Amino acid sequence: MVCRLMRRGSLLRASLGLCVLAIGVGPAAAQSPTPGGMPPPPGMSLAQSAAMRFPQPVRVGDLLGRQVLQPVESQNVLGRVRQVVREPDGRLMVIVAFGGLFGWGARPIAVPVDAMVLLGQDMEIVAFTPDELRRFPTFAAAGTHVVPDDTIIRVGLAKPSH
Amino acid sequence: MRSPFRPYTLPDASVLAAHKSLIRSLERRGLIRGGLSLGALVMLTGCDVERPESVESALLAISRFNDRVQAWLFDPNRLAPTYPESMILRPPKFNAYYDVTEVKPVDGTSWRLDVAGLVAEKRAWTLPDLQALPQRSMVIQHICVEGWSYIGGWTGVPLRTFLERCGADLRAKYVSFKTADDYPSSIDMATALHPQTLLALKYGDETLADPFGYPVRLRMATKLGYKNPKWITAIEVTNTYPGGFWESKGFPWFAGL
Amino acid sequence: MRETMRPLVTAGRPLHPLPLRIMHWVNAVVMLVMITSGWGIYDDDVIIRGFHFGSFWRLGDWAAWSLNWHFAGMWFLAINGVAYLVYGVASGRFRTKLLPIRPAEVVRTVVDTLHFRIAHEDLTVYNAVQKLLYVIVILAGIAQVVTGLAIWKPVQFSGLVALMGGFQTARVLHFAGMAIIVGFLVVHVTLALLVPKTLLAMLSGGPRVGAQVSDKEELVR
């Protein structure tokens, strides 16, 4: 097999390529023409932007404990899903243990489910930056109702960011 | 029926024949010049060449060689590991060359699956036609070339069954796909006939959802994720290398697991 | 009697014979290709959340080309690696240069090094820590091929993947192997630059060793 490779003359060109590497690593360009998890366009409500993301049925119990990521190439961890609650006005909120280091010193914040998406086994917050989330008040349970594990809710999707 | 894979106008082939020697000398000259200028560029700039042509063609040559090695490694009788239904991720992970907001749902009632190429029966299939064929389910790991994976449960018509019903030439080299989202794709016949290669109609026990390829997508347990086109509109059996969307941008064609 | 005392020395081989030097430098280049293209592949789906390699560190301007570099480099790595292992065993180099490794010597060398007593006058003998590092990096290189094979063909080699605890674990092991090799490289390159004659020896062959002496001379000694 190797002999065939050499005969095709590609070995020579490959070794030329190897020499190129020894001198320097080329600059990079983004792969995806459209990165996933883009924030909603300006002027669009969270509900409207979530509706564009093909919300899929998901069991609340299957969301608990999921990592919550920032939609960037390095997939920074923002926190973990602790709970899903319904506010008195009917809005569904995901309670995220936010910040801290490896979960230590995290505090719960309530993020609208329409600001979040499913990314495989994880979730992402697409509508708020980490800075904005840092200014979120610590979640107070009073007046809200915990959504039971077996409830099916709908959450939008995103493609991986890179 | 005319193949949906053929362009409507073809360049006159005699032009190529008439200028064959010229083209060959041009290629050779280009290679030498490319090699020389690559060397010069590297010396001058410390290499800010993104992907010099000569490097690219060398890498692609090795990639095609790797395709042959992969085809040789592929055991048509080896089954991919399967998993219990309780492990199925619901919903599955979405990915495409565009974000989910760009997904254009397909209307299942007017949808038709065209069959072309080396088949006895070139007809358009409806969704009920496919639903009437024998179905098979599998719970398998989806592995993306990016590195992530998840367990998914798929139900549909084994592609082998479908090809047999179409009277396809099972000794042909390739099975090629066209999709509603302009994502051409193709696979080798050995993988097309593998028992874990399905024209999937369902995920879990539910009809395929819009972002995951409703009404029909390909699901293979023995290939990377990008080899599985969604929203399939046409299938062709052919001996001419059909390529694919990511393959034309540099990803390996065989992409077997 | 006097005649037998005269050592019958014939010129020995260089410390690093030519085939070994070629394999060393081929490996150096190929390893760089594998590591930096691997970083490009890694970035498409990070293993350590929050950590990715910047574009400067990646070989290949996006994932497909990092992948193509990686899958081209693998042949050079594997063929060169097998040649090196066969050479190392057949020539006895592994046995004479890398073994035995005694734990007490390792501890002593580490203590000496911490007191900045790095003995490198004699290039022909490796100290215990050097031996240990070389053995570790050789094993890590072999492990990379095995975990790499598992990631490349997780269905064809499903038994291998199961042995590693699944596809994602195989990925983590492949990443960890890279980290070990990069760790070795940092130490190895730093020391080579601190003691430049080791670097020159890998280019020129270094001092001649293994001079042949006659049987009679052996008896006298």
Side-chain angles (χ1 to χ4, degrees):
Chain A
M1 283 183 290
V2 179
C3 298
R4 208 180 304 163
L5 179 74
M6 288 181 186
R7 237 182 292 133
R8 292 180 59 178
S10 44
L11 195 67
L12 181 74
R13 273 173 281 161
S15 43
L16 185 69
L18 295 185
C19 298
V20 174
L21 168 89
I23 295 165
V25 177
Q31 171 187 351
S32 307
T34 41
M38 293 284 280
M44 188 179 273
S45 77
L46 280 185
Q48 283 171 318
S49 70
M52 289 173 65
R53 300 193 155 278
F54 290 86
Q56 297 296 308
V58 62
R59 196 179 150 268
V60 165
D62 290 345
L63 295 178
L64 307 185
R66 286 191 185 208
Q67 278 199 324
V68 179
L69 308 174
Q70 192 187 349
V72 290
E73 187 179 32
S74 51
Q75 305 192 350
N76 301 330
V77 180
L78 297 171
R80 262 183 202 281
V81 177
R82 215 177 253 184
Q83 225 169 29
V84 177
V85 301
R86 194 174 285 281
E87 300 245 296
D89 62 7
R91 281 193 309 161
L92 276 177
M93 308 294 273
V94 178
I95 308 308
V96 177
F98 173 75
L101 198 66
F102 301 110
W104 288 87
R107 67 186 179 91
I109 59 172
V111 182
V113 74
D114 287 346
M116 298 182 72
V117 293
L118 299 169
L119 182 75
Q121 301 93 326
D122 304 306
M123 292 190 82
E124 282 181 343
I125 299 177
V126 290
F128 299 104
T129 64
D131 271 341
E132 289 169 329
L133 293 170
R134 237 165 263 137
R135 292 195 291 271
F136 271 43
T138 300
F139 169 66
T144 63
H145 296 282
V146 176
V147 180
D149 284 4
D150 280 329
T151 314
I152 302 291
I153 62 170
R154 284 185 169 266
V155 183
L157 303 173
K159 65 166 287 193
S161 311
H162 42 68
Chain B
M1 192 178 91
R2 197 179 168 283
S3 164
F5 291 82
R6 299 272 168 260
Y8 284 95
T9 53
L10 282 170
D12 185 2
S14 65
V15 176
L16 185 68
H19 294 87
K20 211 166 206 168
S21 63
L22 178 65
I23 289 164
R24 203 175 294 150
S25 80
L26 276 176
E27 277 175 351
R28 209 160 34 214
R29 235 181 293 160
L31 194 70
I32 296 166
R33 204 188 308 125
L36 286 178
S37 58
L38 169 68
L41 267 174
V42 166
M43 295 295 177
L44 284 173
T45 63
C47 190
D48 56 7
V49 196
E50 258 183 36
R51 199 193 316 133
E53 220 174 289
S54 51
V55 173
E56 182 173 309
S57 60
L59 291 176
L60 289 178
I62 297 178
S63 186
R64 284 192 297 272
F65 166 75
N66 287 344
D67 279 345
R68 293 212 299 273
V69 174
Q70 293 191 72
W72 174 76
L73 277 172
F74 177 73
D75 176 356
N77 298 314
R78 173 178 277 273
L79 292 180
T82 54
Y83 302 84
E85 274 188 40
S86 59
M87 288 178 74
I88 296 174
L89 176 73
R90 294 164 203 267
K93 188 162 177 168
F94 173 80
N95 200 11
Y97 65 91
Y98 44 82
D99 199 7
V100 70
T101 51
E102 309 297 318
V103 167
K104 306 272 185 293
V106 169
D107 172 20
T109 51
S110 64
W111 172 87
R112 295 291 180 276
L113 177 62
D114 291 327
V115 180
L118 305 169
V119 293
E121 197 186 349
K122 290 177 188 173
R123 60 171 265 222
W125 294 68
T126 64
L127 188 51
D129 289 341
L130 289 183
Q131 285 161 339
L133 291 178
Q135 310 281 311
R136 182 185 163 127
S137 293
M138 59 181 186
V139 181
I140 50 149
Q141 191 171 32
H142 176 118
I143 295 178
C144 177
V145 69
E146 293 169 359
W148 48 264
S149 60
Y150 70 87
I151 308 293
W154 308 90
T155 302
V157 184
L159 185 55
R160 174 190 273 273
T161 307
F162 181 76
L163 291 175
E164 284 169 353
R165 294 291 169 109
C166 295
D169 178 2
L170 302 185
R171 292 159 308 165
K173 278 187 183 163
Y174 308 104
V175 179
S176 156
F177 302 87
K178 271 193 148 188
T179 71
D181 68 332
D182 283 328
Y183 186 83
S185 191
S186 61
I187 57 170
D188 53 301
M189 183 58 81
T191 303
L193 300 178
H194 189 272
Q196 288 169 312
T197 296
L198 303 182
L199 288 174
L201 307 172
K202 286 179 163 188
Y203 185 80
D205 293 325
E206 310 284 333
T207 301
L208 223 47
D210 280 326
F212 303 107
Y214 174 82
V216 175
R217 68 169 299 173
L218 189 63
R219 262 318 279 141
M220 298 173 281
T222 57
K223 289 233 193 266
L224 286 170
Y226 71 87
K227 295 298 294 186
N228 296 268
K230 306 189 270 268
W231 307 282
I232 297 172
T233 55
I235 297 180
E236 184 185 32
V237 178
T238 176
N239 281 316
T240 312
Y241 174 72
F245 179 88
W246 285 118
E247 291 87 338
S248 68
K249 294 178 167 50
F251 270 121
W253 174 74
F254 195 88
L257 292 175
Chain C
M1 187 68 187
R2 190 176 162 73
E3 276 198 10
T4 56
M5 283 293 284
R6 200 184 75 202
L8 297 171
V9 179
T10 52
R13 290 158 59 74
L15 168 64
H16 303 308
L18 183 65
L20 187 107
R21 276 176 276 152
I22 293 172
M23 290 186 284
H24 173 271
W25 290 112
V26 168
N27 187 61
V29 174
V30 176
M31 268 296 181
L32 274 178
V33 168
M34 295 308 277
I35 290 166
T36 52
S37 62
W39 291 347
I41 299 166
Y42 167 97
D43 274 357
D44 242 10
D45 185 57
V46 302
I47 290 170
I48 301 170
R49 292 271 156 92
F51 173 76
H52 81 291
F53 299 93
S55 59
F56 173 80
W57 300 101
R58 305 193 285 234
L59 176 61
D61 53 321
W62 63 281
W65 296 98
S66 297
L67 207 73
N68 286 337
W69 273 108
H70 213 68
F71 287 160
M74 69 179 185
W75 294 109
F76 295 86
L77 182 84
I79 293 166
N80 189 63
V82 167
Y84 173 74
L85 290 179
V86 168
Y87 179 90
V89 171
S91 68
R93 188 179 171 91
F94 286 163
R95 189 167 33 78
T96 54
K97 288 245 180 289
L98 301 181
L99 296 174
I101 302 170
R102 296 193 178 87
E105 283 177 28
V106 174
V107 172
R108 199 169 58 232
T109 314
V110 169
V111 171
D112 283 353
T113 308
L114 291 176
H115 289 90
F116 297 102
R117 288 196 301 262
I118 307 173
H120 239 309
E121 282 74 45
D122 188 357
L123 293 183
T124 63
V125 182
Y126 292 144
N127 67 44
V129 170
Q130 277 178 301
K131 288 181 186 177
L132 187 65
L133 287 179
Y134 288 138
V135 169
I136 287 174
V137 81
I138 290 168
L139 293 177
I142 296 169
Q144 285 307 78
V145 173
V146 177
T147 51
L149 209 55
I151 299 171
W152 188 40
K153 293 279 157 229
V155 171
Q156 303 311 316
F157 302 120
S158 54
L160 197 61
V161 178
L163 208 66
M164 290 172 194
F167 178 76
Q168 290 302 330
T169 323
R171 263 184 94 210
V172 172
L173 290 174
H174 198 61
F175 184 77
M178 177 280 296
I180 289 170
I181 292 170
V182 169
F184 166 86
L185 266 177
V186 170
V187 176
H188 184 67
V189 173
T190 306
L191 286 177
L193 293 177
L194 286 176
V195 191
K197 63 180 174 180
T198 58
L199 187 60
L200 294 174
M202 195 43 89
L203 290 165
S204 66
R208 302 211 154 234
V209 293
Q212 300 286 309
V213 288
S214 74
D215 288 345
K216 280 180 185 169
E217 174 66 14
E218 282 285 337
L219 284 171
V220 171
R221 287 175 84 197

